[in-house]
Amino acid sequence: MNLSIVIPLLNEEESLKELHDWIVSVMQSNHFLYEILFIDDGSTDLSWKIISELTSKNPNVKGIRFLRNFGKSQALHAGFKAAQGDVIITMDADLQDNPEEIPELYNLITKDGFDLISGWKKKRYDSVIFKNTPSKLFNWAAKKTSGVKLHDFNCGLKAYKKEVVKNIEVSGEMHRYIPVLAKNAGFSKIDEKIVQHQARKYGKTKFGAERFINGFLDLITIWFLSKFGKRPMHLFGALGAIMFIIGFGFALYLGIDKLFINKFSRLITDRPQFYIALTAMVMGCQLFLAGFLGEIMVRSKNNETRYTISEKINITI
């Protein structure tokens, strides 16, 4: 099978038939062996009924249905797990992504040897204030923190080599940063292609203002995992050491002052520096402990992985 087209959706009954016919036309004109995976993320309209009708008419169409809304990341994860094609294409179901882009994306993966190609909607038809400007800010921040040089991390139209989607786990709301997850998994041949963006034809966007907050928090998470995911002691240990040194410095100053300079002044516990010293030293110890626990967890996971691989090798032999 050449292509698996993974389409997560939520309440897109108006566009599904049109999108299906458009994709099938492109597949047939290019003689692709393909499958279309519709992932219904808890739709409350007639989306699942339409998907069922499409699967009965076209054997290349498959549907996965969530009983409630779990989010785009979980929908993509389910689609990646079920995909069988050599190249996996993801796209949105709202007709804003153009299926005519698929053949060129496929060639970039199969002929040019890229691991991942991300679409870049250079010209957008979304709201400037509520979507375009925040997206540009997030893309700039993601590029700076991750080191992946893309202009549009959140574009739904992407192409992946099969090995990429089978070796990454998309959870939470990490679908925005799949290129970063791929880079962290060791896939370095990542590039982008300018794609056509179309105005929404039916319905309305399913993402509200909370996606900006979630996107920012996910960006912090992905930055931490990229920098310190395998060496948490380097972060927590450094912060703990700094906090402990600050606290110890205040405690030393108070001790010297009380013993040798102002022997008969007020009690140490009546001075604000005492509480600064106490708080800083306690926080320093806690951060240090968090670093140790993180290192133990990482090493335990690595040992478990090595044991599993060794066990599989022995069974194979």
Side-chain angles (χ1 to χ4, degrees):
M1 185 178 294
N2 303 124
L3 280 165
S4 292
I5 302 168
V6 177
I7 305 173
L9 62 105
L10 175 64
N11 296 332
E12 297 287 357
E13 61 181 359
E14 301 96 340
S15 61
L16 289 178
K17 289 182 180 178
E18 185 175 341
L19 177 61
H20 166 267
D21 294 344
W22 197 356
I23 293 173
V24 170
S25 174
V26 173
M27 296 297 103
Q28 291 177 347
S29 62
N30 288 272
H31 308 290
F32 285 132
L33 296 176
Y34 71 97
E35 64 177 356
I36 304 174
L37 293 165
F38 288 107
I39 319 298
D40 184 356
D41 188 21
S43 294
T44 56
D45 61 359
L46 298 177
S47 294
W48 182 249
K49 181 181 179 182
I50 295 171
I51 293 171
S52 300
E53 292 173 355
L54 293 174
T55 57
S56 63
K57 295 177 182 178
N58 184 352
N60 296 317
V61 176
K62 301 173 184 177
I64 298 174
R65 186 186 189 188
F66 292 171
L67 296 180
R68 67 175 182 85
N69 179 245
F70 285 94
K72 188 174 182 178
S73 293
Q74 283 68 26
L76 286 173
H77 181 71
F80 289 162
K81 189 174 181 180
Q84 301 178 34
D86 295 329
V87 176
I88 286 80
I89 302 288
T90 60
M91 62 190 307
D92 294 332
D94 54 12
L95 296 175
Q96 290 190 285
D97 295 329
N98 189 343
E100 301 290 344
E101 307 277 0
I102 292 176
E104 190 172 349
L105 291 171
Y106 176 80
N107 289 333
L108 287 170
I109 299 294
T110 57
K111 295 182 179 180
D112 295 346
F114 286 102
D115 297 318
L116 189 157
I117 297 293
S118 180
W120 174 16
K121 298 174 182 176
K122 194 171 184 179
K123 184 178 180 181
R124 298 178 66 103
Y125 294 93
D126 296 318
S127 169
V128 175
I129 297 176
F130 296 105
K131 211 164 185 183
N132 287 6
T133 302
S135 293
K136 287 181 180 179
L137 291 174
F138 276 119
N139 288 325
W140 175 84
K143 182 164 59 175
K144 291 296 182 181
T145 56
S146 68
V148 180
K149 306 300 181 183
L150 298 178
H151 291 86
D152 191 356
F153 283 80
N154 199 29
C155 178
L157 187 58
K158 289 183 174 67
Y160 308 84
K161 189 183 292 184
K162 183 178 182 179
E163 290 78 7
V164 175
V165 303
K166 299 300 183 182
N167 284 280
I168 61 174
E169 184 173 347
V170 189
S171 59
E173 294 194 24
M174 291 296 178
H175 59 273
R176 300 177 181 89
Y177 306 111
I178 289 180
V180 183
L181 297 176
K183 178 192 173 186
N184 292 343
F187 298 98
S188 58
K189 298 194 70 176
I190 298 173
D191 206 346
E192 63 185 352
K193 175 186 178 299
I194 297 175
V195 296
Q196 181 183 354
H197 183 235
Q198 303 175 136
R200 176 178 275 273
K201 191 173 181 179
Y202 305 105
K204 59 182 181 180
T205 182
K206 307 302 186 298
F207 299 99
E210 70 276 1
R211 75 189 185 95
F212 302 130
I213 299 174
N214 294 337
F216 175 73
L217 296 175
D218 289 337
L219 181 59
I220 295 175
T221 301
I222 207 76
W223 170 82
F224 173 79
L225 293 176
S226 300
K227 296 290 185 181
F228 304 104
K230 295 184 178 180
R231 43 193 175 91
M233 191 61 181
H234 287 204
L235 175 64
F236 293 110
L239 292 175
I242 292 171
M243 293 298 294
F244 190 86
I245 290 171
I246 291 173
F248 184 79
F250 273 105
L252 186 64
Y253 160 73
L254 290 171
I256 294 174
D257 182 69
K258 184 65 176 176
L259 290 174
F260 302 106
I261 302 174
N262 297 311
K263 296 181 180 181
F264 304 103
S265 64
R266 57 181 172 166
L267 295 174
I268 290 179
T269 54
D270 292 335
R271 302 177 65 174
Q273 294 91 335
F274 170 78
Y275 296 99
I276 295 175
L278 182 63
T279 303
M281 293 175 72
V282 170
M283 289 181 63
C285 291
Q286 289 178 331
L287 288 167
F288 225 86
L289 181 60
F292 274 123
L293 293 175
E295 288 287 339
I296 291 171
M297 293 174 66
V298 170
R299 291 177 186 275
S300 298
K301 186 176 181 180
N302 290 340
N303 290 335
E304 183 180 346
T305 303
R306 284 195 292 269
Y307 173 77
T308 304
I309 293 173
S310 177
E311 188 178 41
K312 287 182 179 179
I313 291 173
N314 289 334
I315 291 173
T316 304
I317 290 172

